Amino acid sequence: MIANTTTQSQILLSNISKIIEFNASKIIENVELKFDQYISVINVVLNNSTYYAQSNSTVGIATKPVPKGYVPVILITYIIYAIFMIIVLAQLLTMVHSAYARLRIMKNAKPIPINDAAQLPLVSIIIPVKGEGIDAIEDAIKRIIGLDYPRDKLEVIVATDDDEATANLIKNTVERIGKAYGLRTLVNWRSKPVGYKGGAINEAAKLAKGDVLLILDVDTTLPRNYLKVALGYLNEGYDAVGAPFLGTPKVPNNFSWPLMILFNILSEVQIVGRAFSRLRRGFYMIIGNNLLIKRDFFNRINGLCYCKSDDIDVALRIWLMGGRIGVMNERVLTEIPSTYSAFRSQTIRWATNDMWALKKYFTKILKSRNRSLLDKIDAYLWLLKYPLVYLGVVSIITMIVMQVFNILIPPLPILVLSILTDVVGAVLLILLIMVGRRMNYGYWDLFKSLIIGGLTMYALMFPLMVYLTKALLSDLPWLYTPKASKALLRQKLIIERLSIIVLVAIAAVLLVMGHVIVSLYIFANSILILMGYKTGSISSGNSANHLLSTGRF
């Protein structure tokens, strides 16, 4: 009985090995055949410069005739791919314009600050908090005391939606600091919070006595001359003013430092450069972590929205009514994500906020009489920057379709569009490096930041697609961005891991079918996703030990 079982097992293993050997030989034969076909077509194209233009059909140049019944499928794929590529090209061109504008900005290109104490108005500074440490709130108020502004013309209102016990603790701390430094302070607690951060700020604004409001995030550090310079913008007729940020990581590591460099460069391009290149036309974003606005204008626009996207919402409302938004040529400091998980949460929140704004304001932008067609296109491009992650999947699908139907070169319009996008992308890359050099970053640091940033965004491709689709279909709850020690808490990253499994499975099936090139392309995509989220993972206890030593836990 045992001998029979052994014999059967040996026969089964022998058959399996023969099947594997047969399939492997077939794959190798298909690879050799494909390679010979590609080389033959490439030689024809290279030897006759007019061959491609003359023989280029609606589906492109194929090594085998494409069945007519499948031509509509191929054309639909090309059309979808072309639409995304056109939007990408437009986005790249606007970024090139913004980067070039940033390189031309003069240091002294800013309104004259107000220095006459008699002209300085009472400023009410509103700091919304929820779930923040008492030490963070205390540090925020002490930083305000250090501003170059008369203390008797400052008022600090902390708006908290924490539980009652925490609110009382915050109140005692704020009052203690106010008395110690001669600063007018107030804590506004909502027992039944409504309307997220915007709702808390609106309630606090009703208690404000200042003629000017400054809405400030608790982790934002202002330059000493912030208020005097910002008031200079208001005096020149701007309706709202904000300063771009320079990011600093609270958990320094091999991921957060390169990410900080890329964050800061993109802030200079997408916020500063975009604003200074659109003083007469176009759309640019107001800064969410600091906003200076006259109280009467704040009341005229009915305050902030009772929504998660209060910064993009107020920027669009001011812009649609023909208002002026000032972006200061000063910088504030703010915390940036220190791990992939934290960066993931923040990026998903920003992306879904833009999707919410696109849904809400699409028709209003289209029908606006205060803005030109170019203005409207510019606003749409800003709101569409995150949905372009769908291009990654569209590119994979296009590659699969081309390989399945043995298409070596796509139609001329698709090829030209792809080449043009690559060229503009290369120009943008050079300009980003030039901006980075102006900011005194070294070439090696810039190289690392671009590589890590690119890998990280690649890993985020599928999670962003999932959450953007959810945001398109329904409203999502508030997504919290882990900061400081909380950034070390790992997420399960189910979407990333599942996407790798699916991509590897698809690559394996295509490899068995003999489509080697697209199989390797898809497998490379899965490797890039893995590298992307692994790069931002904390693999040692160094960062945790650093936080323990500094008492940040």
Side-chain angles (χ1 to χ4, degrees):
M1 183 70 176
I2 296 174
N4 289 336
T5 303
T6 303
T7 302
Q8 291 176 358
S9 299
Q10 291 174 345
I11 293 172
L12 179 62
L13 290 174
S14 177
N15 290 334
I16 290 174
S17 64
K18 289 180 180 179
I19 292 171
I20 294 173
E21 183 179 352
F22 174 77
N23 287 332
S25 63
K26 284 292 184 183
I27 291 173
I28 294 173
E29 289 177 9
N30 286 333
V31 171
E32 292 175 347
L33 180 61
K34 289 277 188 185
F35 184 76
D36 291 339
Q37 290 173 340
Y38 288 164
I39 293 299
S40 176
V41 173
I42 290 172
N43 285 332
V44 172
V45 174
L46 291 177
N47 292 331
N48 187 353
S49 59
T50 61
Y51 175 82
Y52 178 62
Q54 292 175 353
S55 62
N56 185 38
S57 66
T58 55
V59 297
I61 294 180
T63 57
K64 291 181 180 180
V66 177
K68 292 184 178 180
Y70 292 103
V71 171
V73 176
I74 299 172
L75 291 179
I76 291 172
T77 304
Y78 282 152
I79 291 171
I80 295 173
Y81 176 78
I83 291 172
F84 275 94
M85 288 298 290
I86 290 171
I87 299 175
V88 168
L89 181 58
Q91 292 277 15
L92 291 174
L93 287 171
T94 59
M95 288 188 68
V96 166
H97 183 218
S98 299
Y100 179 71
R102 174 59 189 89
L103 289 170
R104 297 189 62 184
I105 291 174
M106 299 298 292
K107 285 285 185 180
N108 57 355
K110 54 188 177 183
I112 300 174
I114 300 177
N115 292 310
D116 186 356
Q119 296 180 7
L120 296 176
L122 175 64
V123 178
S124 295
I125 303 175
I126 301 174
I127 305 176
V129 298
K130 185 175 182 180
E132 304 289 350
I134 298 298
D135 57 339
I137 299 172
E138 185 171 348
D139 289 343
I141 298 175
K142 288 181 178 178
R143 289 196 299 268
I144 291 170
I145 294 170
L147 294 176
D148 181 19
Y149 204 82
R151 205 168 294 175
D152 61 340
K153 292 190 175 183
L154 287 175
E155 176 186 53
V156 176
I157 304 175
V158 177
T160 174
D161 284 346
D162 287 299
D163 58 78
E164 187 173 4
T166 303
N168 287 330
L169 187 59
I170 292 172
K171 182 180 179 181
N172 293 335
T173 302
V174 171
E175 288 179 350
R176 173 176 54 81
I177 298 173
K179 289 179 180 178
Y181 291 92
L183 182 69
R184 183 182 303 157
T185 60
L186 179 67
V187 174
N188 186 54
W189 173 62
R190 300 192 302 169
S191 59
K192 296 180 180 180
V194 176
Y196 303 100
K197 174 183 172 182
I201 292 170
N202 290 343
E203 290 297 316
K206 295 177 183 178
L207 305 174
K209 296 181 179 179
D211 296 323
V212 176
L213 305 178
L214 171 59
I215 300 166
L216 184 68
D217 280 1
V218 70
D219 61 347
T220 299
T221 302
L222 304 175
R224 288 197 75 246
N225 64 339
Y226 177 92
L227 286 175
K228 290 182 177 180
V229 174
L231 289 169
Y233 280 80
L234 292 184
N235 279 356
E236 290 204 357
Y238 287 94
D239 298 303
V241 186
F245 67 83
L246 288 176
T248 56
K250 286 291 183 69
V251 187
N253 54 58
N254 292 330
F255 174 78
S256 60
W257 281 112
L259 187 68
M260 175 198 72
I261 294 173
L262 188 59
F263 250 74
N264 293 343
I265 292 173
L266 290 177
S267 174
E268 292 297 309
V269 172
Q270 289 288 71
I271 303 299
V272 183
R274 189 180 180 95
F276 278 81
S277 65
R278 288 160 173 78
L279 295 177
R280 295 184 179 180
R281 62 176 62 90
F283 173 80
Y284 54 92
M285 183 62 188
I286 204 163
I287 315 303
N289 56 17
N290 68 103
L291 172 65
L292 192 81
I293 187 170
K294 290 183 178 180
R295 189 173 62 172
D296 57 353
F297 183 79
F298 183 85
N299 294 332
R300 183 150 61 93
I301 63 173
N302 296 318
L304 301 185
C305 69
Y306 288 79
C307 63
K308 303 182 296 293
S309 316
D310 52 271
D311 50 357
I312 182 66
D313 178 85
V314 72
L316 282 168
R317 282 191 287 137
I318 295 173
W319 179 76
L320 284 170
M321 66 186 292
R324 297 181 65 196
I325 299 172
V327 173
M328 299 166 58
N329 200 13
E330 302 289 338
R331 304 297 179 269
V332 302
L333 298 179
T334 191
E335 181 182 349
I336 63 166
S338 298
T339 63
Y340 173 79
S341 295
F343 179 75
R344 181 184 192 265
S345 298
Q346 184 177 80
T347 306
I348 289 173
R349 178 164 59 84
W350 286 353
T352 52
N353 286 350
D354 278 4
M355 180 61 78
W356 173 89
L358 183 63
K359 287 194 303 180
K360 179 178 179 181
Y361 286 100
F362 184 88
T363 304
K364 294 179 181 179
I365 293 172
L366 188 64
K367 294 181 178 180
S368 174
R369 296 183 178 180
N370 293 322
R371 294 298 174 182
S372 67
L373 178 60
L374 288 177
D375 291 341
K376 296 173 183 179
I377 292 174
D378 200 42
Y380 285 134
L381 286 174
W382 177 267
L383 296 175
L384 283 170
K385 59 185 180 294
Y386 287 109
L388 290 179
V389 295
Y390 288 101
L391 178 63
V393 174
V394 172
S395 298
I396 292 174
I397 294 173
T398 304
M399 187 75 170
I400 292 174
V401 170
M402 289 179 62
Q403 289 294 301
V404 167
F405 293 106
N406 303 290
I407 299 172
L408 178 61
I409 305 176
L412 187 59
I414 299 295
L415 183 63
V416 170
L417 187 60
S418 299
I419 293 174
L420 188 58
T421 302
D422 290 340
V423 170
V424 176
V427 172
L428 175 61
L429 190 64
I430 294 171
L431 290 173
L432 290 178
I433 293 173
M434 291 175 66
V435 171
R437 291 294 295 149
R438 289 279 183 91
M439 300 173 71
N440 297 320
Y441 295 126
Y443 284 111
W444 176 242
D445 290 331
L446 291 170
F447 175 76
K448 286 194 298 182
S449 69
L450 291 170
I451 293 296
I452 290 178
L455 287 173
T456 304
M457 288 306 301
Y458 214 88
L460 275 170
M461 176 173 63
F462 285 99
L464 279 174
M465 284 178 52
V466 171
Y467 279 94
L468 283 170
T469 304
K470 287 182 177 180
L472 181 64
L473 300 175
S474 61
D475 288 336
L476 297 179
W478 173 267
L479 297 173
Y480 172 70
T481 301
K483 297 179 180 179
S485 60
K486 292 183 180 180
L488 299 176
L489 300 176
R490 294 189 178 185
Q491 300 178 11
K492 295 181 179 179
L493 308 180
I494 296 174
I495 300 174
E496 287 89 337
R497 291 187 170 94
L498 185 60
S499 64
I500 291 175
I501 294 172
V502 171
L503 288 175
V504 170
I506 293 173
V509 171
L510 290 169
L511 182 63
V512 172
M513 293 173 63
H515 302 294
V516 182
I517 294 179
V518 70
S519 175
L520 294 175
Y521 171 74
I522 295 174
F523 183 72
N525 275 265
S526 65
I527 295 296
L528 291 174
I529 292 173
L530 179 64
M531 292 174 62
Y533 74 77
K534 284 292 185 181
T535 301
S537 300
I538 302 297
S539 57
S540 67
N542 293 337
S543 295
N545 292 335
H546 171 74
L547 287 172
L548 283 170
S549 65
T550 55
R552 288 185 182 144
F553 269 112

